Amino acid sequence: GCSGLTSIDIPNSVTSIGIWAFSFCSGLTSITVASGNTKYDSRNNCNAIIETASNTLIFGFISTIIPNSVTAIGNSAFYNCSGLTSVTIPNSITSIGDYAFSYCSGLTSIDIPNSVTTIGEAAFADCRGLTSINIPNSVTTIGAGAFSSCSGLTSINIPNSVTAIGKAAFADCRGLTSINIPNSVTAIGDRAFTGCNSLNDVYSYITDLSNVSMGYGVFDWTVEGDFDLDTLFSGRTLYVPYGTSADYQNDSKWSYFFGNIVEMANQVLATSIELDKSSVTLTPAETMQLTALILPEDATDTTVIWASSDNQIATVDGNGLVTAVTPGTAVITAVTTDGSNLSASCVVTVKSLCADNAFAMPDSEVLHGEAVVIPVKMNNSEEIMAFQTDIYLPEGFTIMADENNEMMVMPSTRLTSDHMLMTERLADGAVRVLCYTPSAQAIEGNEGDLFYITVAAPGDAAGDYAIYLRNSRLTNSDYEELQLPDAGAVLTVKTFIPGDANDSHAVNVADIVTTAQYVMQRNPSPFVFEAADMNGDGEVSVTDIMLIARLILYPTMTSPKHAPAIVANGDRMSGKGITQMPGETRRVSIDLDNEADYSAFQLDLTLPTGMMASNFMLTDRDGNHALDVETLNNGKVRVLCYSPAIEAIKGNSGAVLTLDVTATGIVDGCIGVDGIELVTTECQTVRPDAFTIAVNNVTAVDEVAAGKTVTGIDYYNLAGQRVSEPASGVTLVVTTYSDGTRTTAKVIR
């Protein structure tokens, strides 16, 4: 409550600062921690107090700039900072503590980055000026009273990642008119929406109420004076999933909503969302259009909400147009609005226009749990003798050490033998790189690699992470110090290598075999589904086998994502009907009529009752193609044919596959052929129509059913000549039985 206090200096001797130590100090304009303090710091002139070991901001005020190296906003950090109107939360923050922004009545809007997973108890309570807030898809828990008494809020979108809504989380948000509750929610605390008197539209996407722990008075209204129930509740509607209204009406805690319960249309929800770019580098004022791809294609609502994690670095409009503002890194996120609350992100790196003297790093990729060498480049328009820079890595990432326990920061050939390259870990976790020369030797050249850092990714990492070079300085031949803009790069950590189906950390022919085993339902182990699903369509099929083969043959080529099947244009597979009696074996051909060049196919056979198949063979149309046949769990027979060398099937018509079918009894039905997938030599998918192969029985069915024993069958053509097999056209079949009787049947094929 020291309203006249304008500045605070924390000396080295301070080792403990209690909660609310500087609360209500409304006149503060400056706060610093002595550089030698081992417990706290005020890194990057941030005007805040940060607990060094945990990277937690424990106290901030109006002039605070939250550094990118901070990972948590502590309990009550900005408590009752009434003059705070806006704050930028960097995407390094993973948690917002209890009461962190409580009673910040001047706060009108805030963007929570998609790095945050937890919003603490009463984190934004009584932020009455808050009119909008974006909760990203990374948040899993909204604490008790997190947004209570935020009377300026009119609507809020709870993402599909949230599993728990705490007690009184939105209590007394009297301006709140609508809210959605995703299907991911399994717990809603007591009085979560109590006192939200304007809350007329509640959209609940929960389909199974038995999985939800529901507190008391969740939708209780605060009513003062006389009121009429019919008038009070007439405009209130709870929208529920199609076919669940009875469940909601019969649930005592949901029915306490005291309003209409209406089923939503039987809409097709989005199942996935992906942006056309996962990362991009821009310069200030440059624009770039992002496009969201939503599946399935027949999704009812394909609209999305766009947001930026840091509008000071890059903004995005309602149509996905990104505008770069200042150097740095921001994450652009698109979130579906149909209740599925799916999201996809793109990392935008804005780099300085200054290229005369600047550091730069390329974006890189690494497998989780492994390391990658990243070059640091320098462009210099004048002679440079020395430099220093601070490397900021994401939490959990490290610069690897060599056998001498020295950090692996290695010089390039631009540095002479007289240059000394040293590293030191700073109090805030950054690694400082210092290079100088006692003999005033200049660094060679004016561009290119300067030094290399070997960065190790933790085993649990996945996705895009930002690496920064900050506080960079150069010393020229006149011993002048040149300050450089911050530089950054995106390090993408992958949990798998595309094509590495057997998780061997290499892509080779073994991955083709492993993927083929999966397609044939032989349950190979290990098997990485995401790595095998090369085209990203959520299925693993013969197309993915061929895409792995293409990757082996052409390592620099990229695979399509969600590439739809192309139109067949008359290309089809077919088969001719057969005539067959019990005990007989017939040869069946599967034909391919094609204009395009195909290198592989798969299909499923459904055999009718009384028939078995064997002796599958490729024809001379197939060159060095592999053939695999397996009976699936559903009884179908799957046929897989592929060429690891991506060799085309020869010709444009005729049989590509033959098989023997044997009638073990009276055949009932046709041979069905479906699940057909052709793969072009360009690894495009074609799915022709399914077809059937007719099977005609030539038996005296009634007599056999009556128990007669057949002793002989003779075939005759219409000239009365005995033939060995039924011919096409009309055939007479004479059946002889053990009692000497005979039956003649006329068969037309």
Side-chain angles (χ1 to χ4, degrees), residues 116-438:
V116 172
T117 59
T118 303
I119 298 175
E121 179 179 341
F124 297 92
D126 281 280
C127 291
R128 299 178 184 272
L130 200 60
T131 58
S132 65
I133 192 164
N134 173 51
I135 300 178
N137 210 43
S138 57
V139 173
T140 59
T141 303
I142 300 174
F147 299 95
S148 61
S149 299
C150 291
S151 54
L153 283 177
T154 57
S155 65
I156 197 162
N157 183 53
I158 300 176
N160 204 42
S161 55
V162 171
T163 59
I165 301 174
K167 295 180 180 179
F170 299 91
D172 293 312
C173 291
R174 296 179 181 271
L176 198 61
T177 60
S178 67
I179 198 163
N180 71 296
I181 302 174
N183 192 39
S184 57
V185 170
T186 58
I188 303 177
D190 301 340
R191 299 173 284 103
F193 302 97
T194 190
C196 297
N197 288 10
S198 300
L199 187 57
N200 291 329
D201 297 319
V202 175
Y203 295 84
S204 173
Y205 293 91
I206 300 173
T207 55
D208 187 358
L209 299 184
S210 64
N211 290 332
V212 181
S213 172
M214 187 89 162
Y216 68 86
V218 169
F219 297 104
D220 194 10
W221 280 8
T222 301
V223 180
E224 298 176 359
D226 297 330
F227 61 92
D228 177 73
L229 281 176
D230 293 336
T231 302
L232 190 61
F233 301 129
S234 60
R236 216 172 180 208
T237 304
L238 172 63
Y239 295 92
V240 300
Y242 183 81
T244 64
S245 59
D247 296 336
Y248 279 80
Q249 289 167 350
N250 294 330
D251 189 295
S252 59
K253 292 183 178 178
W254 283 98
S255 62
Y256 196 72
F257 178 78
F258 287 132
N260 303 313
I261 297 180
V262 176
E263 290 185 357
M264 291 179 278
N266 191 15
Q267 61 177 340
V268 179
L269 294 180
T271 57
S272 71
I273 179 174
E274 183 173 321
L275 300 186
D276 59 338
K277 301 176 184 67
S278 60
S279 63
V280 69
T281 299
L282 304 174
T283 56
E286 189 178 2
T287 61
M288 181 268 303
Q289 180 66 50
L290 282 177
T291 302
L293 173 65
I294 294 177
L295 292 179
E297 294 179 350
D298 60 346
T300 305
D301 183 4
T302 58
T303 58
V304 297
I305 295 175
W306 295 92
S308 171
S309 64
D310 193 337
N311 286 316
Q312 294 184 7
I313 293 174
T315 63
V316 61
D317 67 12
N319 297 315
L321 182 65
V322 178
T323 302
V325 181
T326 58
T329 301
V331 179
I332 305 299
T333 303
V335 182
T336 57
T337 60
D338 63 351
S340 59
N341 284 311
L342 304 174
S343 69
S345 299
C346 173
V347 177
V348 176
T349 301
V350 182
K351 294 194 173 180
S352 172
L353 290 170
C354 175
D356 289 341
N357 295 294
F359 283 153
M361 290 184 295
D363 295 340
S364 305
E365 293 183 352
V366 65
L367 190 66
H368 65 160
E370 297 197 355
V372 61
V373 177
I374 300 176
V376 175
K377 302 174 181 292
M378 182 178 72
N379 292 335
N380 49 292
S381 58
E382 52 190 295
E383 281 193 344
I384 301 299
M385 296 188 303
F387 66 85
Q388 77 174 55
T389 187
D390 296 341
I391 304 171
Y392 285 86
L393 298 177
E395 184 177 4
F397 289 70
T398 59
I399 295 179
M400 290 191 66
D402 59 18
E403 62 275 9
N404 298 319
N405 204 30
E406 298 288 340
M407 282 185 279
M408 296 179 68
V409 178
M410 309 300 295
S412 75
T413 55
R414 293 186 63 186
L415 299 181
T416 70
S417 59
D418 200 40
H419 279 92
M420 303 178 66
L421 189 66
M422 297 179 292
T423 59
E424 183 69 36
R425 190 170 302 280
L426 305 182
D428 62 359
V431 173
R432 174 160 293 173
V433 179
L434 176 65
C435 177
Y436 67 93
T437 167

Side-chain angles (χ1 to χ4, degrees), residues 700-736:
V701 177
D702 294 337
E703 287 83 349
V704 172
K708 289 190 174 185
T709 301
V710 177
T711 59
I713 297 175
D714 297 311
Y715 306 100
Y716 297 86
N717 60 24
L718 291 186
Q721 299 168 326
R722 180 179 294 176
V723 293
S724 59
E725 290 185 352
S728 60
V730 179
T731 301
L732 296 180
V733 183
V734 180
T735 305
T736 304

